[in-house]
């Protein structure tokens, strides 16, 4: 009797989650369908339940792989380059800082950690105009550098690396010192390899943030050939646009690589995107 | 090694250089400062300086090559309907997103943690998937789903239930609905994970004890689950509030920089409009300072609130 009741509840809850999942995935599936529909129909009717199968075609994909779409691919290249540079630099710097904050007792260390937490609380948008002015003064407008510079030492990553390094064995440092290893050697050769899972999580967090970042690149990137994907795609949204084919297939192609990465590295995505949830 | 450093001739100073470097390399005292120097430099140049500059700019009128001190006049200009609208829209948005993005993920996570649910990993991953899209891409889809035509998905659904179709992007209530829905859709799965991680740390014994006392599932949720999750609930609401006040993109994808009757205007949208589009950096900075103040007050209140909880 109790078992039957349990089974019934289990079925009801599972059915409820099927509905919720359909709602959650509906927009993504819609985008996939939309990329096979004529853009003119989409701009007129929006996305409809009833889709005329005869209308489905590969025009959007033909358009996006044609000569005229070279602009889209330059956005893609910019986004890839900016994300890659940012991942390398921010992981390098943030891990050093986080590691030092957890492994060394040094004067001012506590203060620096407090400052890290403080910068974490302050929204970037408040610093945006002075930083915009600074980039202007440094003649960095419309460069990768301007996009990357403010995110290079990410406080969230510093915080994460610090938390992770707290769990590393400190005796390893002592024995390395006895063997004559330098302090930097200890980090780069011994400790950093032990921190690989945290590097993976932060690479995903920083990469995703940079890939999807919008406001700051919008502010500092001025010419279409320098745009990142979100900034470029947003320009296609205007009512005066005539490149709607690029909009749908183009949007889909920005999501697909991330979804594929997610399927392979789910664990790191989850720990990267939920930084500080339990420990913080 | 110590002796060589004392020799002062030019040529010998070159010799002392490698020894200085090796000293730094092996010194437990100096190494941590080298490690944290990237943060210190970036903090000074890319945080502290712009922070101070933001305050200074807010008292200035900034034209190319001509900066003048204007006292509080930028702040006086905030007393306009536009700023009031931005503040109101943002506040409503924050309240709605915080409620939705705490309550619903909490309930979903409770079920996802229960053995009654099958295929838990599959559901968890699917709920998380929207977080991988950028707001711009999400906006592209939402604009198609909530298009003005009667045939579009949202309007067709309304019609199915006997309601009139809506012009989603042109009314203030529906505009707010669009922004909140977009944000909730994207962020739901991440908050579910926060709660799920915390739920897995709640000790089984508490539930067993409750079972012995004959508690129902709902009683267990309110008397065991909720109190154990208090820290993570506070954490999630804090990030939701701060992210809510930072909102810009969810509005931008629907209306770019100008919405009909400012129904999509937010505080950060106003900073962008005035500071970047109109190039009125001083006024934009003043809006930013007010935003900082709001977030500061909320943080203080939150700390006090959390502190008060810690006492009992």
């Amino acid at each position: 009797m109790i078992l039957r009741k349990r089974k019934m509840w289990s079925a009801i809850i599972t059915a409820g989650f099927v509905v919720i999942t359909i709602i959650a995935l509906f927009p993504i599936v819609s985008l996939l369908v939309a990329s096979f529909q004529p853009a003119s129909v989409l701009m007129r009717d929006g996305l409809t339940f009833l889709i005329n199968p005869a209308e489905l075609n590969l025009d959007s994909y033909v358009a996006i792989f044609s000569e005229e779409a070279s602009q889209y691919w330059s956005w893609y290249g910019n986004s890839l380059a900016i994300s890659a540079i940012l991942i390398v630099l921010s992981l390098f710097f943030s891990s050093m800082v986080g590691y030092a904050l957890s492994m060394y007792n040094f004067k001012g260390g506590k203060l620096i950690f407090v400052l890290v937490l403080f910068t974490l609380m302050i929204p970037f948008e408040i610093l945006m105009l002075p930083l915009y002015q600074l980039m202007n003064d440094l003649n960095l407008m419309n460069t990768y550098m301007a996009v990357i510079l403010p995110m290079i030492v990410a406080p969230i990553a510093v915080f994460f690396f610090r938390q992770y390094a707290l769990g590393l064995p400190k005796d390893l440092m002592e024995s390395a010192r006895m063997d004559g290893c330098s302090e930097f050697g200890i980090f780069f050769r011994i400790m950093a390899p032990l921190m690989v899972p945290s590097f993976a999580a932060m690479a995903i967090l920083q990469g995703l943030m940079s890939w999807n970042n919008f406001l700051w690149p919008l502010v500092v990137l001025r010419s279409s050939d320098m745009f990142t994907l979100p900034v470029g795609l947003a320009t296609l949204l205007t009512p005066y646009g005539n490149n709607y084919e690029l909009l749908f297939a183009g949007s889909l192609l920005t999501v697909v690589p991330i979804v594929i990465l997610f399927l392979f590295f789910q664990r790191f995505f989850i720990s990267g995107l939920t930084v500080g949830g339990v420990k913080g | 090694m110590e002796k060589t450093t004392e020799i002062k001739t030019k040529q010998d100073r070159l010799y002392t250089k490698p020894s200085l470097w090796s000293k730094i390399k092996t010194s437990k005292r100096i190494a941590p400062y080298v490690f944290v120097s990237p943060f210190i430099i970036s903090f000074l140049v890319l945080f502290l300086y712009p922070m101070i500059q933001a305050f200074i700019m807010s008292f200035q009128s900034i034209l190319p090559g001509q900066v003048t001190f204007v006292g509080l006049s930028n702040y006086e200009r905030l007393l306009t309907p536009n700023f009031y609208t931005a503040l109101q829209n943002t506040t409503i948005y924050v309240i709605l997103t915080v409620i939705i993005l705490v309550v619903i993920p909490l309930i979903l996570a409770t079920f996802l943690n229960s053995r009654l649910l099958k295929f838990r990993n599959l559901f968890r991953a699917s709920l998380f998937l929207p977080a991988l899209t950028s707001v711009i891409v999400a906006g592209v889809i939402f604009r198609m789903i909530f298009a003005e035509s009667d045939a579009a998905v949202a309007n067709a659904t309304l019609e199915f239930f006997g309601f009139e179709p809506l012009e989603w992007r042109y009314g203030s209530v529906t505009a707010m609905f669009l922004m909140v829905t977009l944000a909730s859709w994207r962020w739901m799965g991440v908050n579910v994970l926060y709660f799920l991680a915390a739920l897995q740390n709640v000790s089984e014994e508490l539930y067993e004890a409750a079972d012995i006392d004959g508690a129902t599932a709902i009683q267990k949720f309110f008397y065991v689950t909720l109190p154990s999750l208090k820290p993570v609930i506070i954490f999630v609401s804090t990030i939701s509030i701060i992210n809510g006040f930072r909102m810009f993109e969810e509005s931008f994808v629907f209306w770019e920089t100008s919405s009909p009757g400012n129904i999509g205007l937010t505080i950060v949208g106003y900073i962008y409009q005035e500071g970047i589009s109109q190039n009125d950096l001083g006024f934009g900075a003043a809006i930013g300072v007010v935003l900082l103040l709001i977030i500061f007050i909320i943080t203080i209140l939150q700390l006090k609130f959390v502190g008060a909880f810690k006492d009992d």
Side-chain angles (χ1 to χ4, degrees):
Chain A
M1 189 57 194
I2 288 173
L3 198 72
R4 254 181 67 189
K5 216 175 159 189
R6 247 187 101 85
K7 267 198 168 154
M8 189 190 76
W9 275 112
S10 172
I12 291 173
I13 294 168
T14 308
F17 265 82
V18 169
V19 175
I20 292 163
T21 305
I22 290 173
I23 296 171
L25 296 184
F26 180 78
I28 295 174
V29 177
S30 302
L31 184 62
L32 181 69
V33 175
S35 70
F36 292 104
Q37 282 185 277
S40 56
V41 173
L42 280 165
M43 295 317 284
R44 193 188 64 222
D45 293 343
L47 193 94
T48 52
F49 278 122
L50 292 173
I51 290 161
N52 181 0
E55 275 182 349
L56 297 180
N57 58 53
L58 289 169
D59 288 358
S60 294
Y61 291 94
V62 173
I64 209 154
F65 290 110
S66 73
E67 287 283 305
E68 283 91 76
S70 64
Q71 207 187 24
Y72 173 80
W73 293 105
S74 68
W75 301 339
Y76 218 103
N78 292 335
S79 272
L80 278 177
I82 288 174
S83 302
I85 301 170
L86 185 77
I87 288 174
V88 172
L89 292 180
S90 86
L91 258 59
F92 180 75
F93 290 128
S94 310
S95 63
M96 268 170 38
V97 179
Y99 164 81
L101 287 178
S102 77
M103 299 310 253
Y104 292 95
N105 261 321
F106 60 106
K107 223 179 170 183
K110 284 226 174 71
L111 173 71
I112 289 170
F113 184 56
V114 171
L115 291 180
V116 170
L117 294 181
F118 181 64
T119 52
L120 207 54
M121 302 287 284
I122 304 299
F124 173 78
E125 288 72 13
I126 289 158
L127 310 174
M128 186 174 74
L129 296 181
L131 281 173
Y132 163 76
Q133 217 185 23
L134 184 69
M135 295 304 153
N136 251 327
D137 294 344
L138 296 174
N139 263 327
L140 286 175
M141 288 299 279
N142 210 25
T143 61
Y144 289 168
M145 192 64 156
V147 181
I148 293 165
L149 215 50
M151 282 99 195
I152 239 172
V153 188
I156 187 86
V158 171
F159 178 76
F160 187 81
F161 282 120
R162 176 190 171 272
Q163 298 299 98
Y164 196 88
L166 284 175
L168 297 178
K170 273 196 178 174
D171 0 341
L172 271 185
M173 294 174 79
E174 272 316 315
S175 35
R177 267 179 207 130
M178 302 240 247
D179 291 342
C181 195
S182 76
E183 295 298 316
F184 305 107
I186 296 177
F187 175 59
F188 289 112
R189 290 205 213 108
I190 298 164
M191 297 315 234
L194 293 177
M195 292 166 73
V196 163
S198 64
F199 278 98
M202 286 302 100
I204 281 167
L205 176 72
Q206 294 292 308
L208 193 63
M209 273 182 7
S210 151
W211 188 256
N212 290 340
N213 196 7
F214 180 69
L215 179 54
W216 180 241
L218 177 74
V219 168
V220 290
L221 297 176
R222 282 299 152 89
S223 62
S224 175
D225 61 311
M226 289 302 291
F227 284 170
T228 57
L229 278 169
V231 177
L233 286 173
T235 63
L236 299 179
L237 267 175
T238 58
Y240 323 106
N242 49 6
N243 274 329
Y244 293 125
E245 289 88 3
L246 296 189
L247 187 58
F248 300 106
S251 297
L252 188 75
L253 291 180
T254 72
V255 182
V256 167
I258 311 288
V259 173
I260 293 173
L261 280 178
F262 173 70
L263 295 178
F264 282 104
F265 303 107
Q266 219 191 104
R267 187 161 66 90
F268 298 119
F269 267 87
I270 287 171
S271 55
L273 262 80
T274 50
V275 179
V278 190
K279 286 173 180 168
Chain B
M1 209 161 70
E2 290 88 58
K3 270 186 187 169
T4 51
T5 49
E6 285 168 22
I7 300 166
K8 296 272 153 84
T9 64
K10 231 181 187 177
Q11 215 172 9
D12 281 350
R13 213 177 278 165
L14 285 172
Y15 277 99
T16 59
K17 264 191 179 165
S19 88
L20 182 69
W21 174 235
S22 70
K23 230 178 174 177
I24 292 173
K25 272 201 321 195
T26 51
S27 162
K28 268 204 281 183
R29 252 170 0 100
I30 303 174
Y33 294 100
V34 178
F35 280 128
V36 297
S37 59
F39 175 77
I40 296 173
I41 296 166
S42 102
F43 177 80
L44 293 176
V45 179
L46 299 164
F47 185 86
L48 194 62
Y49 165 74
M51 188 82 150
I52 294 167
Q53 186 66 13
F55 281 98
I56 297 172
M57 282 163 76
S58 72
F59 296 105
Q60 289 173 334
S61 153
I62 299 162
L63 296 166
Q66 195 193 344
V67 178
T68 42
F69 178 79
V70 292
L72 286 170
S73 86
N74 284 330
Y75 289 96
E76 279 160 23
R77 283 171 63 199
L78 286 174
L79 305 169
T80 55
N82 274 359
F83 181 68
Y84 178 73
T85 309
L87 194 61
Q88 192 188 30
N89 286 343
T90 310
T91 311
I92 295 173
Y93 174 86
V94 168
I95 293 170
L96 292 174
T97 46
V98 169
I99 294 173
I100 292 172
L101 284 173
V102 170
V103 175
I104 300 179
L106 187 59
I107 296 169
L108 293 181
T110 311
F111 282 118
L112 277 169
N113 198 39
S114 136
R115 269 181 227 101
L116 285 173
L117 183 63
K118 304 255 161 60
F119 318 113
R120 285 187 280 177
N121 288 340
L122 184 71
F123 288 129
R124 196 183 61 170
S126 320
L127 284 175
F128 187 78
L129 221 48
L132 304 178
T133 63
S134 70
V135 181
I136 302 301
V137 168
V140 169
I141 319 168
F142 270 63
R143 276 174 75 152
M144 292 304 112
I145 292 175
F146 293 95
E148 272 72 46
S149 91
D150 292 355
V153 166
N155 277 339
T157 311
L158 282 183
E159 215 181 340
F160 178 80
F161 288 107
F163 296 102
E164 290 287 302
L166 291 170
E167 292 205 300
W168 296 92
R169 281 166 57 226
Y170 299 93
S172 63
V173 176
T174 49
M176 185 57 71
F177 175 84
L178 287 180
M179 294 188 285
V180 172
T181 310
L182 178 58
S184 307
W185 174 72
R186 272 189 76 241
W187 214 244
M188 189 74 71
V190 176
N191 286 357
V192 165
L193 288 178
Y194 277 126
F195 289 126
L196 206 51
L199 278 170
Q200 276 151 7
N201 287 341
V202 179
S203 118
E204 276 294 318
E205 286 165 32
L206 287 176
Y207 289 106
E208 279 161 22
D211 277 333
I212 292 165
D213 290 343
T216 64
I218 293 183
Q219 279 171 330
K220 276 190 277 184
F221 178 77
F222 280 104
Y223 294 106
V224 180
T225 311
L226 270 190
S228 318
L229 291 186
K230 211 187 272 168
V232 71
I233 292 173
I234 290 166
F235 172 78
V236 169
S237 9
T238 311
I239 15 178
S240 300
I241 292 171
I242 292 183
N243 285 341
F245 275 106
R246 297 175 57 185
M247 196 269 268
F248 168 76
E249 298 169 28
E250 282 83 353
S251 158
F252 189 95
V253 282
F254 288 114
W255 303 278
E256 281 89 56
T257 46
S258 64
S259 50
N262 283 333
I263 49 176
L265 187 66
T266 66
I267 299 179
V268 174
Y270 201 38
I271 296 180
Y272 183 83
Q273 210 179 63
E274 295 296 330
I276 306 290
S277 304
Q278 309 286 332
N279 208 17
D280 192 346
L281 288 168
F283 185 43
I287 307 167
V289 170
V290 174
L291 175 60
L292 180 64
L293 217 67
I294 293 171
I295 287 179
F296 186 69
I297 291 168
I298 289 170
T299 312
I300 298 281
L301 284 177
Q302 203 121 33
L303 285 176
K304 233 183 141 179
F305 183 67
V306 178
F309 267 119
K310 269 183 187 156
D311 284 345
D312 57 47

